[in-house]
């Protein structure tokens, strides 16, 4: 069974802290994605990666960075968390030929105080 | 860039049929997909259309008209468990997918 896992379901951090969100997939997928989801705004793409060590900016990359050292793992980093980064963060993966079929993790609800 | 429009809310009666529309503007287009998300859950893939026409998967069907930049998701024989948010998404190349803002479907008895 296809599985995408995220390191935490809920996370509370303070302004200025460095935050790491981890995502692991077990499907040998080439593509991995990080989205944030806010009420009324849908899912907005932060960054994606189509191969190990490769990354591309999405629509809202400011304030975020990513790391993909291994195929199965994609990390989202908030260098200095701010209150406007309070959100639900969703990780997804897809095969190289099936980018439209994305498999999502359960999400991490991050609160920045 | 890419932008998608879909209604924010739809209410329908159990057992009925409901159609959720999606219009899009894209600089490149490969296909239109649909996802379902229950409250507190993760989005799950429902369907994908790359070519014009109707794709049927059980009670759910999805339609695409590339010339009109338009698609819809059709849910038949509605059940209470279909109450969820539904997102259309467009792939425009470079392995990138853009999601709409979602339609919250409420099924009432």
């Amino acid at each position: 069974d296809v599985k995408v896992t995220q390191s935490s379901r809920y996370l509370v951090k303070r302004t200025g802290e460095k935050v790491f969100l981890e995502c692991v997939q077990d499907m040998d997928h080439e593509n991995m994605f990080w989205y944030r989801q806010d009420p009324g705004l849908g899912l907005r793409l932060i960054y994606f990666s189509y191969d190990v060590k490769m990354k591309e900016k999405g629509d809202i990359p400011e304030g975020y960075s990513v790391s993909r050292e291994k195929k199965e793992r994609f990390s989202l980093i908030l260098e200095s968390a701010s209150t406007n980064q309070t959100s639900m963060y969703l990780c997804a993966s897809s095969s190289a030929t099936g980018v439209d079929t994305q498999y999502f993790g359960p999400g991490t609800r991050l609160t920045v105080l | 860039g890419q932008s998608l429009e879909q209604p924010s809310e739809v209410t329908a009666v159990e057992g009925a049929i409901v159609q959720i529309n999606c219009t899009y503007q894209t600089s490149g287009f490969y296909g239109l997909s649909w996802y379902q998300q229950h409250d507190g859950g993760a989005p799950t893939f429902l369907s994908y259309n790359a070519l014009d026409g109707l794709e049927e998967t059980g009670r759910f069907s999805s339609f695409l008209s590339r010339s009109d930049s338009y698609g819809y998701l059709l849910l038949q024989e509605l059940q209470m468990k279909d109450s969820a948010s539904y997102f259309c998404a467009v792939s425009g190349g470079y392995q990138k997918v853009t999601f709409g803002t979602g339609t919250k479907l409420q099924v009432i008895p």
Side-chain angles (χ1 to χ4, degrees), chain A residues 9 31 33 35 37 40-43 45 48 50 57-59 90 95-96 99-107, chain B residues 30-33 35 37 40-45 47-48 87 89-91 94-102:
Chain A
R9 282 288 272 156
N31 300 324
F33 308 83
Y35 296 91
Q37 184 172 27
L41 297 178
L43 284 79
L45 182 64
F48 66 101
Y50 53 88
K57 292 180 180 178
D59 299 314
L90 290 160
S95 68
V99 68
D100 302 277
T101 307
Q102 298 193 9
Y103 297 88
F104 283 83
Chain B
Y30 284 85
L32 182 72
S33 47
Y35 288 78
Q37 185 181 30
T44 56
F45 172 80
S47 68
Y48 172 67
F87 295 87
V90 167
S91 57
Y94 303 107
Q95 309 291 3
K96 183 183 168 186
V97 172
T98 300
F99 284 79
T101 53

Side-chain angles (χ1 to χ4, degrees), chain A residues 3 9 28 45 54 61 86 94 105:
Chain A
K3 200 153 189 186
R9 282 288 272 156
D28 200 36
L45 182 64
M54 305 304 290
T86 292
S94 76

Side-chain angles (χ1 to χ4, degrees), chain A residues 3-87:
Chain A
K3 200 153 189 186
V4 179
T5 56
Q6 296 182 227
S7 49
S8 307
R9 282 288 272 156
Y10 300 93
L11 209 53
V12 179
K13 295 291 182 181
R14 298 215 173 267
T15 302
E17 280 192 81
K18 191 168 186 175
V19 181
F20 292 87
L21 302 182
E22 302 261 307
C23 175
V24 177
Q25 51 97 1
D26 66 359
M27 295 161 283
D28 200 36
H29 281 166
E30 290 78 11
N31 300 324
M32 295 189 76
F33 308 83
W34 274 107
Y35 296 91
R36 64 176 283 177
Q37 184 172 27
D38 301 287
L41 297 178
L43 284 79
R44 293 181 292 166
L45 182 64
I46 304 171
Y47 267 98
F48 66 101
S49 168
Y50 53 88
D51 201 352
V52 176
K53 297 193 186 293
M54 305 304 290
K55 60 186 179 184
E56 293 285 340
K57 292 180 180 178
D59 299 314
I60 51 164
E62 296 78 20
Y64 303 95
S65 62
V66 290
S67 172
R68 191 158 180 209
E69 296 297 317
K70 293 184 177 181
K71 190 175 185 181
E72 67 270 18
R73 190 177 297 269
F74 192 35
S75 302
L76 179 69
I77 303 151
L78 288 67
E79 293 289 341
S80 178
S82 64
T83 55
N84 63 12
Q85 292 179 310
T86 292
S87 186

Side-chain angles (χ1 to χ4, degrees), chain B residues 30-62:
Chain B
Y30 284 85
L32 182 72
S33 47
W34 289 92
Y35 288 78
Q36 178 191 60
Q37 185 181 30
H38 287 99
D39 282 348
T44 56
F45 172 80
L46 290 176
S47 68
Y48 172 67
N49 295 67
L51 303 174
D52 286 359
L54 194 68
E55 295 279 344
E56 296 181 59
T57 310
R59 294 188 296 113
F60 293 5
S61 303
S62 57

